[in-house]
Amino acid sequence: NSQALVGINANISNSDILFRRDDPLDGVDFDDEQQGDGAHEKTTYSLDELAEYGDGMDGKPILLSIFGRVYDVSAGSKFYGSEGNYHMFAGKDVTRALSTGCKEDECLVRSTEGLTQKQINEGRRWLSFFQLHDKYPNVGILEDDNREDWLDELIDSAMSGAGSEEGGGGVPLRPIKPSE
């Protein structure tokens, strides 16, 4: 029901979001659902896992990711299932696709590089749509694209603390050069 009131701000409907009548992320607290007793911890998916476990085939759920948040859109199988107009979104990150309106394979990526602010705002509207939708629960997060940057920072941090009392002792780490 496109007129149903959903989500955190009961005065904003999905129609308001899609027709750009409100700030798409106004009143959305993305951290609120991550807190609590730990009973609802979110799964972290790699892109490969998202494709494998979220394609909707063989009884698996239909998952998609936008801006690193994974949603179960199985309830919308008429849109995202094998016969739906958005079947190509199943098991993919759709950040760029929904930001630009492109449904081609090259657009089914997380990258926002080169997008205009207007396109990013459009993607944020879609993020708000999924976040506030009463039938599309947020079930996880997508693993960071920049794991190697994070690993480099971790190594640098460990190396800088290796000689101190608090550094944990052990064998100091050294960066591995591509020629090694």
Side-chain angles (χ1 to χ4, degrees), residues 164-176:
S164 72
E165 276 183 33
E166 302 162 27
V171 178
L173 298 174
R174 65 178 179 82
I176 297 175

